[in-house]
Amino acid sequence: MPGRAGLQERRGRARELPRLSGAGPRNVGMADPARSAPRNRRHVRPAAIERARLRLEPGGALERAPRLDESAFSLYQGDRLADVALKSIGRQLARLFWHEAGARLGVNPEHVHDMRVATRRLRTALRVFAAAIPRETRQEWRQELRWIGRALGSVRDCDVELDRVRRMAADAPEPERAALFVFTSLLEIKRARKRVTLLERLDSPRFSRFRRHAQPWIELRRVTPDTRAARAPAYIAGPRVVAVWDRRMLEACDEAKRKTTAENVHALRIAIKGARYAVEYFVELEGPGARRRAKHLGRLQNMLGARQDAAVLLRHMRRYARTIPSRDGELSLGARIAIRKISRAARVRKSEWREVLELGSGAERA
């Protein structure tokens, strides 16, 4: 029989379990932390560890946090181009700062991804809505978004590579697995350094100043230029703006078709991304057809993006292979096997390339 002191201690710890979304001790579904804690670490409070784990694990409190309310940024048929610009930029700025806390914590890599996507959409918006945004604002924000976007991109690239390498290592034979494990350790060290840079930038006065300047846009209080282009009805200006980005995508598609190089394929992916974002800015006004087209463009962008990510990983893997000592033949063999697999994953398949070229033909007919 347990002593009275031990029983009271366990009851006290049980009372500390958080009531997350109505969850009690009966449906938490976790082992008793008091029993699993090592005897020589009695000073550690198991309930505190349990509370943190419940919040951080997939499906925990952080994952069940309320979603960002974007209803204030909804478009209406009577909106002008300036109104669409204000709401589109306000929406992306709100998303950027909404995911900042998760990116700082570093548990779920999707928060860094969402912040990076927001910076990319904002940089495209500065070009799409150039007629409705003051020139000084565009020039200043272009620099700030590039500055924070590079830090986010460096961490995100490491997350993407780590995810792919870990999945490869799970099913790899022993020589390849050993090489991938060493490479994973190098990536984790690199990611830790990149996260330090990211956190330093998020803590900097420069980022705080950017947040202050963004607040009026998020609150939809920013006054846009009163020009003829800015006053144009969005349902008229929108198709014209999208047509400009369609032509750019078509030109990139023709160039990639004429000469299929890594640089041209990368430029085509960027052009598809720009066309997709331009469509999405006006999708609430254009209807289901525009929404389907945006999804199609997004799928092609993701496909080319996956090939680009594999190409970057291939370059890093080859650089790592060159550092393996010549006397370590087994590790070198494992690295060569991994390089061959990644090289195949980096190639754009004929069926995928044909779909991209058909997209260009469709844009030309439109």
Side-chain angles (χ1 to χ4, degrees):
M1 295 292 292
R4 180 178 298 274
L7 183 62
Q8 291 178 349
E9 180 183 4
R10 285 196 293 273
R11 286 177 177 174
R13 285 170 177 163
R15 284 195 296 269
E16 291 180 358
L17 285 173
R19 299 297 196 268
L20 299 177
S21 300
R26 289 179 296 178
N27 57 357
V28 168
M30 308 301 297
D32 184 0
R35 295 183 179 181
S36 60
R39 293 178 179 268
N40 60 349
R41 296 184 64 184
R42 300 285 293 180
H43 63 284
V44 179
R45 301 182 63 181
I49 299 174
E50 185 73 4
R51 184 162 54 247
R53 191 157 74 94
L54 286 172
R55 282 171 164 82
L56 298 179
E57 68 179 3
L62 288 181
E63 298 297 326
R64 296 197 300 268
R67 300 179 67 86
L68 174 64
D69 182 9
E70 300 182 355
S71 58
F73 308 111
S74 300
L75 303 184
Y76 303 99
Q77 290 295 329
D79 281 343
R80 307 164 302 164
L81 181 64
D83 299 323
V84 177
L86 179 60
K87 293 178 180 180
S88 298
I89 292 176
R91 184 196 303 268
Q92 298 306 323
L93 287 170
R95 290 178 179 177
L96 176 68
F97 297 115
W98 179 264
H99 292 286
E100 180 186 350
R104 286 176 176 274
L105 190 59
V107 175
N108 188 341
E110 291 305 309
H111 291 293
V112 171
H113 172 62
D114 291 336
M115 282 192 74
R116 185 191 192 186
V117 170
T119 60
R120 287 179 166 180
R121 290 177 182 269
L122 283 166
R123 292 178 64 181
T124 303
L126 295 178
R127 300 171 62 189
V128 170
F129 302 110
I133 304 174
R135 182 178 180 182
E136 296 77 10
T137 300
R138 284 188 281 119
Q139 292 177 342
E140 178 184 359
W141 280 19
R142 190 178 295 114
Q143 297 175 357
E144 301 304 300
L145 291 170
R146 184 183 298 112
W147 171 71
I148 192 62
R150 285 176 176 171
L152 290 165
S154 297
V155 176
R156 177 59 183 173
D157 291 343
C158 291
D159 288 334
V160 171
E161 292 189 14
L162 278 169
D163 178 68
R164 190 181 195 110
V165 172
R166 285 167 178 163
R167 285 187 284 109
M168 289 177 61
D171 302 324
E174 186 52 42
E176 180 186 359
R177 183 181 303 176
L180 291 174
F181 279 164
V182 176
F183 185 61
T184 299
S185 300
L186 297 175
L187 284 177
E188 289 174 343
I189 295 172
K190 178 181 177 181
R191 181 185 183 274
R193 291 172 176 168
K194 298 299 182 182
R195 268 192 55 78
V196 170
T197 300
L198 173 61
L199 293 176
E200 288 175 348
R201 294 192 179 185
L202 293 178
D203 289 335
S204 66
R206 182 176 178 178
F207 190 74
S208 298
R209 184 170 60 252
F210 173 67
R211 184 188 288 108
R212 290 195 302 271
H213 292 172
Q215 196 63 32
W217 290 83
I218 298 175
E219 297 174 358
L220 303 180
R221 295 187 290 107
R222 191 66 171 86
V223 178
T224 54
D226 188 20
T227 62
R228 181 178 179 180
R231 293 195 305 268
Y235 69 87
I236 295 177
R240 297 175 181 173
V241 170
V242 172
V244 172
W245 289 85
D246 276 345
R247 285 196 297 270
R248 294 176 180 175
M249 181 182 64
L250 179 59
E251 293 172 358
C253 189
D254 290 340
E255 183 64 21
K257 183 179 179 181
R258 186 183 64 84
K259 190 175 182 181
T260 308
T261 63
E263 292 76 13
N264 287 344
V265 173
H266 177 65
L268 174 60
R269 183 178 69 87
I270 299 300
I272 292 176
K273 179 179 65 176
R276 171 197 175 187
Y277 290 169
V279 172
E280 288 179 343
Y281 292 140
F282 300 95
V283 74
E284 295 181 53
L285 303 177
E286 298 299 322
R291 198 176 302 276
R292 287 193 297 270
R293 184 161 187 269
K295 289 183 179 180
H296 185 202
L297 292 171
R299 185 167 59 83
L300 294 178
Q301 175 196 340
N302 293 336
M303 179 268 293
L304 292 177
R307 305 305 177 204
Q308 175 67 18
D309 292 340
V312 174
L313 177 60
L314 178 62
R315 185 168 64 248
H316 293 167
M317 193 70 186
R318 284 172 173 165
R319 186 182 305 164
Y320 155 66
R322 289 194 293 268
T323 65
I324 299 176
S326 58
R327 62 179 179 274
D328 198 338
E330 187 173 350
L331 200 62
S332 298
L333 175 61
R336 288 197 298 270
I337 295 173
I339 287 173
R340 283 198 295 269
K341 290 183 178 180
I342 299 171
S343 179
R344 288 195 296 268
R347 300 193 192 104
V348 180
R349 299 186 180 94
K350 291 183 179 180
S351 59
E352 296 171 339
W353 189 243
R354 187 161 50 247
E355 186 177 4
V356 172
L357 297 181
E358 290 174 356
L359 173 68
S361 300
E364 186 176 24
R365 288 193 299 270

